[in-house]
């Protein structure tokens, strides 16, 4: 069993032409013995965004803090604290922070997907 504060995990920072102001953490993954899923947390700075992309695996996302939008089904959809999103495999998607505080999202991916 693993119990800890998520901020104890050192973040990986992404800040380039495709991802801006993103800090990602693997909270539970292969190193913890997780065989079916990887749990990740992303903090997206105000004005920041993840890359727009698609891949074979699905995402389950829970938005913990902040305000933003998720691109899916050809449009931007507003999200905030307490919202959930399901992104099916092979669906183009992107997250962007439209607020003035960090947007924090917890994301699950299956074990075959890259952890970060």
């Amino acid at each position: 069993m693993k119990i800890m504060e998520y901020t104890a995990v050192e973040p990986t920072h992404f800040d380039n032409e495709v991802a801006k102001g993103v800090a990602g953490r693997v909270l539970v993954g292969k190193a913890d013995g997780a065989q079916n899923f990887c749990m990740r947390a992303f903090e997206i700075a105000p004005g920041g965004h993840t890359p727009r992309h698609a891949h074979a695996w699905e995402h389950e996302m829970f938005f913990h803090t902040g305000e933003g939008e998720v691109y899916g089904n050809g449009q931007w959809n507003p999200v905030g604290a307490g919202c959930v999103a399901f992104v099916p495999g092979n669906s183009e998607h992107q997250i962007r922070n439209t607020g003035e505080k960090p947007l924090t999202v917890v994301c699950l991916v299956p074990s075959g997907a890259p952890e970060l």
Side-chain angles (χ1 to χ4, degrees), residues 6 12 14 21-27 39-45 50-51 59 61-65 95 102-109 114-116:
Y6 88 96
T12 298
F14 302 91
V22 178
R25 293 176 166 92
V26 175
L27 305 180
M39 179 186 289
R40 310 173 305 174
F42 293 96
E43 294 167 334
I44 305 167
T50 64
H59 283 301
M61 293 185 267
F62 174 76
F63 292 86
H64 181 64
T65 62
I95 303 169
L103 176 63
T104 304
V105 57
V106 175
C107 176
L108 295 176
V109 295
E115 291 193 332
L116 256 187

Side-chain angles (χ1 to χ4, degrees), residues 3-9 27:
I3 300 173
M4 64 183 291
E5 293 286 329
Y6 88 96
T7 55
V9 176
L27 305 180

